[in-house]
Amino acid sequence: MISTSIVDLLTGTNPPVTWLVPDFLPQGSLVCLAGDPGAGKSFLAYALGLALATGTSFLGWPLSPATVLYFDQENGRIDMIQYLRWAWKGLGRPDLALVQQHFHHVHFALGHPGWVETAAQVIDLCLPALLIFDTATPCFNIKDENDNAEATAVIQRIRRLQQRTTATALVLRHA
């Protein structure tokens, strides 16, 4: 265990940050995006994923192409296709070759007790810089959203998955 004095933490220099999305998503972070159902979380996440995969500017942030793995356990096929099309068109129809190369989409493959192993297999195949899990409860087979022990176990599993590639994880959740 590494210990640093509180004085050093309060007065020392800021550690360097490597940004996946400049000034928004640090590389290797675990971020939760929460909101009411239908608020636009999935659309925002699809747009971010496609922008990052193609190196398209997103909400004013310049991006370099990076591999994205999107696990969609929430949206039906029709909604998923619509979100992807809206995002692609809204980003100015970025290069489909870059989309094909860097955007990996897995639909309704998690949500069972062995979700970690399933996710790990796909992560090992595409080595993403960004993992998107849409939405927490169905992706991670959560039984009780208010159980802190269950939440802690899920967070530990996500962090182990992130370590396979030093990926940033974006977890969508209903508020």
Side-chain angles (χ1 to χ4, degrees):
M1 177 158 98
I2 298 173
S3 179
T4 305
S5 80
I6 189 68
V7 172
D8 289 342
L9 291 174
L10 292 171
T11 62
T13 59
N14 290 332
V17 176
T18 303
W19 294 100
L20 183 62
V21 177
D23 299 320
F24 182 65
L25 279 179
Q27 183 177 341
S29 61
L30 172 56
V31 177
C32 180
L33 174 62
D36 290 334
K41 299 176 300 296
S42 295
F43 175 66
L44 179 71
Y46 272 112
L48 170 63
L50 286 175
L52 186 59
T54 60
T56 302
S57 178
F58 180 73
L59 299 177
W61 291 301
L63 302 178
S64 298
T67 302
V68 175
L69 175 54
Y70 198 116
F71 290 102
D72 191 337
Q73 198 69 22
E74 173 77 2
N75 300 293
R77 183 169 171 76
I78 292 170
D79 288 337
M80 176 264 300
I81 291 169
Q82 192 63 59
Y83 293 147
L84 278 166
R85 288 180 180 171
W86 284 341
W88 180 67
K89 290 174 184 175
L91 292 168
R93 299 174 189 253
D95 185 349
L96 288 172
L98 286 172
V99 173
Q100 179 116 16
Q101 180 181 1
H102 294 292
F103 189 87
H104 302 276
H105 182 265
V106 180
H107 195 232
F108 291 147
L110 303 182
H112 53 82
W115 70 267
V116 175
E117 292 77 19
T118 301
Q121 289 174 355
V122 182
I123 289 167
D124 290 346
L125 287 174
C126 64
L127 303 174
L130 177 62
L131 293 165
I132 300 173
F133 296 97
D134 186 357
T135 299
T137 298
C139 275
F140 308 135
N141 195 33
I142 293 173
K143 302 299 181 210
D144 181 358
E145 289 185 346
N146 298 312
D147 182 343
N148 285 335
E150 188 174 11
T152 299
V154 166
I155 289 168
Q156 289 171 343
R157 291 178 183 119
I158 295 168
R159 292 202 184 280
R160 280 197 301 274
L161 290 171
Q162 286 179 271
Q163 291 172 352
R164 299 176 94 86
T165 68
T166 66
T168 298
L170 177 61
V171 178
L172 281 59
R173 182 181 189 287
H174 291 156

